[in-house]
Amino acid sequence: SMFKWDNGISWAYNGDVTDSIKDRVKSAGGNVEGDLRVSLAWTNADDLDLACIEPDGNEIYYAKKISTNTRGCLDIDMNAYGKKDDFNPVENIFWESRQTMKKGKYKFIVHNFNKRSNERLGFSISTEFDGKIQTYTSTAAVSNRQKIQAIDIKFDGKDFKISNVWDGFGPVN
């Protein structure tokens, strides 16, 4: 065991980048227990939106939060519709079970629906599947109405694999 103690339990502090987005999702009432979770976090008043285009072309986004095909769900939509946080906003899309998911590519889009700030620019995408969390961070500003295909995740019916990452991200955390 890599631990000094005889159980396999470990933890991460709130300052740990890979867990801070998950903590934001939990604090906002989002689901962090599914087989696949993708979350978007940023630190200003902009209305960034996270969307997913599923393999069959169905889109999960702010106007259609639940996929009737796969049960994928956008359960947190911040800085719109009265749910506002200028310092710790987050959005979250998850699938509880891979058994309801379709094989193919899941394309995750970041859309700056309403640019309101020129401070604390950039965003992070956190992915979680099979017990692994990866965080991708960009300090680049997202222009008003700009859409970025941030990350793709391929699903083969059993396993997930990150297949495409936007080149504006820095090193993986």
Side-chain angles (χ1 to χ4, degrees):
S1 172
M2 63 187 252
F3 302 114
K4 286 197 240 181
W5 47 91
D6 60 340
N7 67 41
I9 299 171
S10 70
W11 60 88
Y13 298 99
N14 281 337
D16 184 4
V17 173
T18 58
D19 283 327
S20 65
I21 295 172
K22 187 173 183 176
D23 287 344
R24 276 196 209 184
V25 171
K26 283 186 205 177
S27 294
N31 187 323
V32 295
E33 299 300 323
D35 281 352
L36 175 62
R37 176 184 61 84
V38 178
S39 304
L40 167 67
W42 67 105
T43 56
N44 65 24
D46 287 355
D47 179 9
L48 296 186
D49 286 321
L50 179 63
C52 177
I53 301 172
E54 296 182 308
D56 62 1
N58 179 65
E59 186 173 4
I60 299 169
Y61 67 114
Y62 66 88
K64 187 179 176 208
K65 294 183 178 182
I66 298 175
S67 169
T68 55
N69 300 335
T70 65
R71 307 306 301 155
C73 178
L74 171 70
D75 65 348
I76 303 174
D77 181 12
M78 288 193 109
N79 289 359
Y81 308 113
K83 194 163 191 169
K84 192 166 184 325
D85 185 331
D86 290 352
F87 294 95
N88 294 298
V90 66
E91 301 218 346
N92 187 59
I93 298 177
F94 73 95
W95 289 260
E96 275 194 37
S97 173
R98 63 187 79 210
Q99 293 174 342
T100 62
M101 297 178 71
K102 303 210 182 293
K103 293 180 186 177
K105 189 184 295 186
Y106 290 75
K107 299 176 187 179
F108 294 89
I109 312 293
V110 174
H111 176 207
N112 192 337
F113 188 79
N114 190 353
K115 182 157 183 58
R116 300 179 181 127
S117 180
N118 288 313
E119 298 177 355
R120 301 181 315 272
L121 302 174
F123 63 92
S124 295
I125 294 275
S126 174
T127 65
E128 183 174 15
F129 54 85
D130 299 330
K132 296 178 203 137
I133 297 173
Q134 290 187 308
T135 302
Y136 303 85
T137 300
S138 173
T139 57
V142 182
S143 303
N144 196 44
R145 303 293 184 184
Q146 181 181 9
K147 290 183 180 182
I148 296 167
Q149 186 168 335
I151 194 165
D152 295 346
I153 297 176
K154 283 187 179 175
F155 178 58
D156 66 7
K158 181 180 175 212
D159 296 313
F160 300 103
K161 180 181 178 187
I162 294 173
S163 64
N164 184 38
V165 177
W166 177 56
D167 62 6
F169 285 125
V172 175
N173 292 329

